[in-house]
Amino acid sequence: MLKIAMLSTGEEVLHGDIVDTNAAWLSQLFFENGFSLTKRSTVGDSQSALVEELLMLSFNNQVVIVNGGLGPTSDDLSTAAAAQAADQHLVVFPEWVEVLQRFFAQRQKTMPDSNLKQAMLPEKANLIDNPIGTACGFKLSINDCWFYFTPGVPSEFKLMVQQQILPDLKKQFPQQVGFECSKLYTFGSSESGLSDKLDKLQLPQGYQLGYRSYLPFIEIKLFGPANDLATRVRVLQLIHSHIEAYVVSVDEPMLTHIGHLLRDKGLSLSIAEQATKGWLSYWLLSDEQIARLSGHSWILSHGAEAGLSEQEPLAAVFALAGATKEKCATDLALVSGPLQDDTFCVALSTPHGEWAQQLKFNRTYSADDQKQLIATIAGDMLRRYLSAKPIFAHYSSVTSLKDMHLPASMLNKQPS
Amino acid sequence: MLKIAMLSTGEEVLHGDIVDTNAAWLSQLFFENGFSLTKRSTVGDSQSALVEELLMLSFNNQVVIVNGGLGPTSDDLSTAAAAQAADQHLVVFPEWVEVLQRFFAQRQKTMPDSNLKQAMLPEKANLIDNPIGTACGFKLSINDCWFYFTPGVPSEFKLMVQQQILPDLKKQFPQQVGFECSKLYTFGSSESGLSDKLDKLQLPQGYQLGYRSYLPFIEIKLFGPANDLATRVRVLQLIHSHIEAYVVSVDEPMLTHIGHLLRDKGLSLSIAEQATKGWLSYWLLSDEQIARLSGHSWILSHGAEAGLSEQEPLAAVFALAGATKEKCATDLALVSGPLQDDTFCVALSTPHGEWAQQLKFNRTYSADDQKQLIATIAGDMLRRYLSAKPIFAHYSSVTSLKDMHLPASMLNKQPS
């Protein structure tokens, strides 16, 4: 098996002050292309620690991607560490000096002396171009392991990996088979609930499942060999049939899916919210399509204005949905009511009828998690309406207490 | 120097599907207690990769914290890898079998056979109690390096580190001096702008600065020896004096600070927003204090209702702030107007006058970043009002185009 490692450098990454998004991005991209990482490591800005780690990695891997530490300042030590680990001298690479001079000339600036350091590389290094920055990358063999040194700036790192390093690896290791991924977005079941249903499935050779859960969604990823879309779609349908009740969208997040449904039907939406304190509007309006089709939203701080505290909450939220739709003159209105002792109401008003439900959390959630869960349940009612599915569903995080439904035929016969 | 490493295990962490929050948390805690990590690494669920990494780490470190892989399932391999690396047999620890039996009995469940695996440890391991889960931790010496094996569940991991591992390290290495940290939250300058001003400062022996930037704020952390608050406060004041214009709060985030100021003055707030599409309300109302003191918010989708598209935008937003305050009957109103070609307006209405400004972004930001920056500038106007500072300030991300101010004495003389 091909052994590939990644080394991230820098005190901020080591100490967790910044999240290592480059590493997550590289892991994913390499996996999809058949170059799974076997190990990742992180060291700070210490030359001895860097040299030690480079040597350790060289003994146990065939390929190592090193990220960061190629800048012009004194705490950028990756190049010096590479030279020491490879037992080579640092020499000036005139072709990169030229690039640097052009870079600064184009910006009408004189090059600071400190940047010259970025053209000093181990003598046997192969330069890797950086079309958008001053830090060139380089490829170097240490103890028969190929090291690719890359800049820490994410845009420069990603461009270099995509345009140069990945193609180079594919040329060197043509036998590695890449993966492609399809995604099911689910809401309403736990990860163990889903895996109980899916783990017993016999997937064809070369196919595997991955779970990625971030409240309130769990993403199910199906990986299969690249260039066989037909089989992957067939396997995806099999998986879908086992967890259909929880799938909210395929290959696009639920919010994007709702945006597409609204656009296709040309329906406008207004929002009123209380328990979600602005999250419902912010979340829905962060989708461009939904924002374009929306009337006003409002956030009721105490509920008195809407009469929410005076009457039975389910009936009040039900009435508020209709009133919001009418007041804003939109096709649809989505509403979250007050949160009282873990109990809340959500309602949807449409030209085909009105629905409201009262639900109770099954366990303790943080205030932010509560807002997200309530907003997602409201969003799921909207999605179900737009997909012509039953509006009320079962979600593992809440218990349904009561619901109300008024069909379109009754809408105008309501007592006012 | 004491060399301490952390090894995280698990495919999901390796492949970046989940963020390694345990690592960031441990780094921070250990640093504050004088036990800075020198290295972190991550390997997947492969016994050979685990054994190899344990041996590598044992040669170069005095202490290693291993996280994850202590569960009952077949992909939990840390204990078996530990035994192999230490060349020890796995034996049953009867004291942990008893704990497991009690754990399941208390929950009226029979213990699955798979859990017995969690009481099989390397023969010379020292058990570390887990008061809230079934995975015990253990301490084991491999090649004269002390390994602490810990469960991956964050609550279990954190409790074990705080209650047992950190005290054990302090007993073993009493000479390590801990740090305490003070924080300045800044907004409106770049990280290099701040470091240019601060890097020339001579800090007393044992004091150091750290920067943590997450749009739109940059946090400046001052670390100093524990148990010397007086000196740290003095140094903090020195730093503060050099970057005063950008400091928005001390030792608490700006939002919490605004919440405290509003509460202390007992002022209520209403919000109207357009460019920020709900983010301004969501962000402000996510603070408990502000939510308690807020009147309604509304989010205008197209601005027509407020007449925003019909007149000069600065004047329109200025008028909207006053109208919002009056309509919601609150002490204060904060407003964001429409975003047109990178240009936007924000306005504040108070009993002491009204302020509005029109600003333009200096470079391209994502839609989400734009919302956050506009909301933060609006929030900063509010903070400045509550702190009796000038309402208009300079921010490096935007250029000021125009502003308006009406003092309280003129408020009632405005033509309607």
Side-chain angles (χ1 to χ4, degrees), chain B residues 36-70:
Chain B
S36 292
L37 294 186
T38 39
K39 183 184 161 175
R40 287 199 285 144
S41 63
T42 307
V43 296
D45 300 319
S46 143
Q47 187 162 335
S48 61
L50 278 166
V51 172
E52 184 181 299
E53 188 63 18
L54 291 174
L55 290 174
M56 288 293 206
L57 290 170
S58 74
F59 298 136
N60 286 290
N61 297 280
Q62 287 142 281
V63 174
V64 176
I65 311 295
V66 183
N67 188 234
L70 303 185

Coordinates of all heavy atoms in Angstrom, one line a residue, chain B residues 36-70:
Chain B
S36 N 3.4 22.8 27.3 CA 3.2 23.1 25.8 C 3.4 21.8 25.0 O 4.5 21.1 25.2 CB 4.1 24.1 25.3 OG 3.8 25.4 25.8
L37 N 2.5 21.5 24.1 CA 2.8 20.4 23.2 C 3.9 20.8 22.2 O 4.0 21.9 21.8 CB 1.5 20.1 22.4 CG 0.3 19.6 23.1 CD1 -0.8 19.2 22.1 CD2 0.6 18.3 24.0
T38 N 4.7 19.8 21.9 CA 5.8 20.0 20.9 C 5.3 19.4 19.6 O 5.9 19.7 18.5 CB 7.1 19.5 21.3 OG1 6.9 18.2 21.9 CG2 7.8 20.4 22.3
K39 N 4.4 18.5 19.6 CA 4.0 17.8 18.4 C 2.6 17.2 18.5 O 2.2 16.8 19.6 CB 5.0 16.7 18.1 CG 4.7 16.0 16.8 CD 5.6 14.8 16.6 CE 5.0 14.0 15.6 NZ 5.8 12.9 15.1
R40 N 1.8 17.2 17.4 CA 0.6 16.5 17.4 C 0.6 15.6 16.2 O 1.2 15.9 15.1 CB -0.6 17.4 17.2 CG -0.9 18.2 18.4 CD -2.3 18.8 18.3 NE -2.4 19.9 17.4 CZ -3.5 20.1 16.6 NH1 -4.5 19.3 16.6 NH2 -3.5 21.1 15.8
S41 N 0.0 14.4 16.3 CA -0.1 13.6 15.1 C -1.4 12.8 15.1 O -2.1 12.7 16.1 CB 1.1 12.6 14.9 OG 1.1 11.7 16.0
T42 N -1.8 12.4 13.9 CA -3.1 11.7 13.7 C -2.9 10.5 12.8 O -2.3 10.6 11.8 CB -4.1 12.6 13.0 OG1 -4.2 13.9 13.7 CG2 -5.5 12.0 13.0
V43 N -3.4 9.3 13.3 CA -3.4 8.1 12.4 C -4.8 7.5 12.4 O -5.6 7.8 13.3 CB -2.4 7.1 12.8 CG1 -0.9 7.6 12.7 CG2 -2.6 6.6 14.2
G44 N -5.1 6.7 11.4 CA -6.4 6.1 11.3 C -6.5 4.9 12.1 O -5.7 4.6 13.0
D45 N -7.6 4.1 11.8 CA -7.8 2.9 12.6 C -7.1 1.7 12.0 O -7.7 0.7 11.5 CB -9.3 2.6 12.6 CG -10.1 3.7 13.3 OD1 -9.6 4.3 14.3 OD2 -11.2 4.1 12.7
S46 N -5.8 1.7 12.1 CA -5.0 0.6 11.6 C -4.0 0.3 12.7 O -3.2 1.1 13.1 CB -4.2 1.1 10.3 OG -2.9 0.5 10.3
Q47 N -4.0 -1.0 13.1 CA -3.1 -1.4 14.2 C -1.6 -1.2 13.9 O -0.9 -0.7 14.7 CB -3.4 -2.8 14.7 CG -2.6 -3.1 16.0 CD -3.2 -4.3 16.7 OE1 -4.3 -4.7 16.6 NE2 -2.3 -4.9 17.6
S48 N -1.2 -1.5 12.7 CA 0.2 -1.4 12.4 C 0.6 0.1 12.4 O 1.7 0.4 12.9 CB 0.5 -2.1 11.0 OG -0.2 -1.4 10.0
A49 N -0.3 0.9 11.8 CA 0.1 2.4 11.8 C 0.1 2.9 13.2 O 1.0 3.7 13.6 CB -1.0 3.2 11.0
L50 N -0.8 2.4 14.1 CA -0.8 2.9 15.5 C 0.5 2.4 16.2 O 1.1 3.2 16.9 CB -2.0 2.3 16.2 CG -3.3 3.0 16.0 CD1 -4.5 2.2 16.5 CD2 -3.3 4.4 16.8
V51 N 0.9 1.2 16.1 CA 2.1 0.7 16.8 C 3.3 1.4 16.3 O 4.1 1.9 17.1 CB 2.3 -0.8 16.5 CG1 3.6 -1.3 17.0 CG2 1.1 -1.6 17.1
E52 N 3.4 1.6 15.0 CA 4.5 2.4 14.4 C 4.6 3.8 15.0 O 5.7 4.3 15.5 CB 4.3 2.5 12.9 CG 5.4 3.1 12.1 CD 5.1 3.1 10.6 OE1 4.9 2.0 10.1 OE2 5.0 4.2 10.1
E53 N 3.5 4.5 15.1 CA 3.4 5.8 15.6 C 3.8 5.9 17.1 O 4.5 6.8 17.6 CB 2.1 6.5 15.3 CG 2.0 8.0 15.6 CD 3.0 8.8 14.8 OE1 3.4 8.3 13.7 OE2 3.2 10.0 15.2
L54 N 3.2 4.9 17.9 CA 3.5 4.8 19.3 C 5.0 4.7 19.5 O 5.6 5.4 20.4 CB 2.8 3.7 20.0 CG 1.2 3.8 20.1 CD1 0.6 2.5 20.6 CD2 0.9 5.0 21.0
L55 N 5.6 3.8 18.8 CA 7.1 3.6 18.9 C 7.9 4.9 18.5 O 8.8 5.3 19.3 CB 7.5 2.4 18.1 CG 7.1 1.0 18.6 CD1 7.4 -0.1 17.6 CD2 7.6 0.7 20.0
M56 N 7.5 5.5 17.4 CA 8.2 6.7 17.0 C 8.1 7.8 18.1 O 9.1 8.4 18.4 CB 7.5 7.2 15.7 CG 7.7 6.5 14.5 SD 9.5 6.6 14.1 CE 9.3 6.3 12.3
L57 N 6.9 7.9 18.6 CA 6.7 9.0 19.6 C 7.5 8.6 20.9 O 8.0 9.5 21.6 CB 5.2 9.1 19.9 CG 4.3 9.7 18.8 CD1 2.8 9.6 19.1 CD2 4.7 11.2 18.6
S58 N 7.6 7.4 21.2 CA 8.2 7.0 22.5 C 9.7 7.3 22.4 O 10.3 7.6 23.4 CB 8.1 5.4 22.7 OG 8.9 4.7 21.8
F59 N 10.3 7.3 21.2 CA 11.7 7.6 21.1 C 12.0 9.1 21.3 O 13.2 9.4 21.6 CB 12.3 7.2 19.7 CG 12.1 5.7 19.5 CD1 11.7 5.2 18.3 CD2 12.5 4.8 20.5 CE1 11.6 3.8 18.0 CE2 12.4 3.4 20.3 CZ 11.9 2.9 19.0
N60 N 11.1 9.9 21.0 CA 11.4 11.4 20.9 C 10.7 12.2 22.0 O 10.8 13.4 21.9 CB 11.0 11.9 19.5 CG 12.0 11.4 18.5 OD1 13.1 11.9 18.5 ND2 11.6 10.5 17.7
N61 N 9.9 11.6 22.8 CA 9.1 12.4 23.8 C 9.2 11.8 25.2 O 9.5 10.6 25.4 CB 7.6 12.5 23.4 CG 7.5 13.2 22.0 OD1 7.5 14.4 22.0 ND2 7.4 12.4 21.0
Q62 N 8.9 12.6 26.2 CA 8.8 12.1 27.6 C 7.4 11.8 28.0 O 7.2 11.0 28.8 CB 9.4 13.2 28.5 CG 10.9 13.2 28.4 CD 11.4 14.6 28.6 OE1 11.4 15.4 27.7 NE2 11.9 15.0 29.8
V63 N 6.4 12.5 27.4 CA 5.0 12.3 27.7 C 4.2 12.3 26.4 O 4.5 13.2 25.5 CB 4.5 13.4 28.6 CG1 3.0 13.3 28.8 CG2 5.2 13.4 29.9
V64 N 3.3 11.4 26.2 CA 2.4 11.4 25.1 C 1.0 11.1 25.5 O 0.7 10.2 26.3 CB 2.8 10.3 24.1 CG1 1.8 10.2 22.9 CG2 4.2 10.4 23.5
I65 N 0.0 12.0 25.1 CA -1.4 11.8 25.3 C -2.0 11.2 24.1 O -1.9 11.7 23.0 CB -2.1 13.1 25.6 CG1 -1.3 14.0 26.7 CG2 -3.5 12.9 26.0 CD1 -1.3 13.4 28.0
V66 N -2.6 10.0 24.3 CA -3.2 9.3 23.1 C -4.7 9.4 23.3 O -5.2 9.2 24.4 CB -2.8 7.8 23.1 CG1 -3.5 7.1 21.8 CG2 -1.3 7.6 23.0
N67 N -5.4 9.8 22.2 CA -6.8 10.1 22.4 C -7.6 9.2 21.4 O -7.3 9.2 20.2 CB -7.1 11.6 22.1 CG -8.6 11.9 22.4 OD1 -9.3 12.5 21.6 ND2 -9.1 11.6 23.6
G68 N -8.6 8.5 21.9 CA -9.5 7.7 21.0 C -9.1 6.2 20.9 O -8.0 5.8 21.3
G69 N -10.0 5.4 20.4 CA -9.7 4.0 20.1 C -9.9 3.1 21.3 O -9.3 2.0 21.3
L70 N -10.6 3.5 22.4 CA -10.7 2.7 23.6 C -12.1 2.1 23.6 O -12.5 1.5 24.6 CB -10.5 3.5 24.8 CG -9.1 4.2 25.0 CD1 -9.0 4.8 26.3 CD2 -8.0 3.2 24.7

